[in-house]
């Protein structure tokens, strides 16, 4: 909670990361061999996601899979997002973690290559998905899932950045993204 001072319970991003790392380390300590831990999470900030990603890794976990969880009943903030234009994720991700069994090789992917891969996945998804799965909140959760599962850096993929990428790639009508007519005709 960054709006409060530390003496009143406020936490910095570094404090949050440390708390999460400590919690994940305890989960790793008590988790039986071969078992999994699942965490449900979402945030619109790439900085918060990066802190979570570092906390998971520092505890000796790796994210083996991530799935979108549709709460279907929006929270108060979710309703504000729908009706007042606030940028709020409404799909949580369930991160399925297991103890890292090997040293993970450093990811050598260039940021441009990652961006191209994300764009390609978004276009393929938007082309075939039903309207409910073509909203900014869902597409943001999809991007987070792809980055987390591949162990790639989340930096630069905030909710706003994903929304901007979608505005470059797609048309928005009634809150749902769709492939532009010119793009659709070029592939038909």
């Amino acid at each position: 909670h960054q709006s409060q001072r530390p003496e009143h319970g406020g936490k910095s991003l570094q404090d949050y990361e440390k708390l999460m790392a400590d919690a994940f380390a305890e989960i790793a300590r008590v988790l039986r061999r071969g078992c999994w831990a699942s965490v449900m999470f979402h945030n619109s900030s790439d900085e918060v996601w990066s802190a979570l990603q570092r906390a998971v890794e520092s505890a000796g976990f790796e994210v083996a899979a991530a799935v979108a969880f549709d709460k279907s009943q929006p929270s108060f903030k979710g309703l504000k997002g729908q009706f007042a234009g606030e940028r709020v994720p409404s799909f949580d991700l369930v991160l399925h973690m297991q103890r890292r069994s090997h040293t993970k090789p450093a990811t050598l992917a260039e940021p441009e290559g990652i961006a191209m891969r994300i764009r390609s996945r978004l276009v393929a998804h938007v082309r075939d998905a039903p309207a409910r799965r073509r909203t900014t909140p869902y597409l943001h959760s999809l991007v987070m899932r792809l980055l987390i599962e591949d162990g790639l850096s989340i930096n630069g993929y905030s909710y706003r950045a994903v929304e901007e990428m979608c505005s470059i790639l797609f048309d928005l009508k009634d809150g749902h993204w769709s492939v532009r007519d010119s793009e659709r005709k070029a592939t038909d």
Side-chain angles (χ1 to χ4, degrees):
H1 198 298
Q2 295 178 5
S3 65
Q4 293 181 352
R5 294 192 217 238
E7 61 268 15
H8 294 115
K11 304 276 185 277
S12 69
L13 188 57
Q14 293 76 22
D15 295 333
Y16 178 75
E17 183 177 331
K18 169 104 172 68
L19 288 168
M20 294 302 291
D22 290 347
F24 291 145
E26 180 62 12
I27 292 169
R29 186 187 71 76
V30 300
L31 193 66
R32 290 184 183 154
R33 185 183 286 310
C35 292
W36 296 62
S38 296
V39 174
M40 188 177 300
F41 184 81
H42 209 73
N43 197 288
S44 59
S45 167
D46 56 329
E47 293 173 338
V48 173
W49 270 107
S50 294
L52 180 81
Q53 191 176 38
R54 288 188 302 271
V56 166
E57 291 171 2
S58 73
F61 279 118
E62 64 184 351
V63 176
V67 294
F69 180 80
D70 183 357
K71 297 179 277 191
S72 68
Q73 182 71 31
S75 66
F76 178 72
K77 280 190 71 89
L79 289 172
K80 280 179 67 179
Q82 288 176 359
F83 298 111
E86 189 172 329
R87 290 172 170 85
V88 179
S90 58
F91 290 85
D92 286 348
L93 286 188
V94 181
L95 308 176
H96 300 294
M97 307 179 311
Q98 62 185 134
R99 285 192 191 126
R100 200 170 35 240
S101 58
H102 58 283
T103 305
K104 201 170 195 176
T107 304
L108 300 174
E110 294 293 323
E112 298 82 23
I114 295 169
M116 293 280 291
R117 199 154 88 198
I118 295 296
R119 284 186 195 109
S120 174
R121 292 290 300 271
L122 284 173
V123 169
H125 178 84
V126 168
R127 185 177 315 245
D128 299 328
R132 173 100 173 107
R133 302 283 191 238
R134 292 186 282 116
T135 63
T136 303
Y138 186 85
L139 295 178
H140 180 255
S141 69
L142 175 67
V143 170
M144 293 299 101
R145 190 189 76 183
L146 297 171
L147 294 169
I148 288 276
E149 282 184 336
D150 290 346
L152 299 170
S153 173
I154 293 171
N155 288 335
Y157 288 96
S158 66
Y159 189 95
R160 183 180 300 270
V162 171
E163 185 176 50
E164 288 172 5
M165 182 184 289
C166 288
S167 71
I168 293 167
L169 297 170
F170 310 118
D171 290 327
L172 182 64
K173 183 176 181 191
D174 299 327
H176 301 95
W177 296 102
S178 60
V179 176
R180 291 196 167 107
D181 287 335
S182 59
E183 178 73 20
R184 186 175 290 122
K185 290 174 186 172
T187 58
D188 287 343

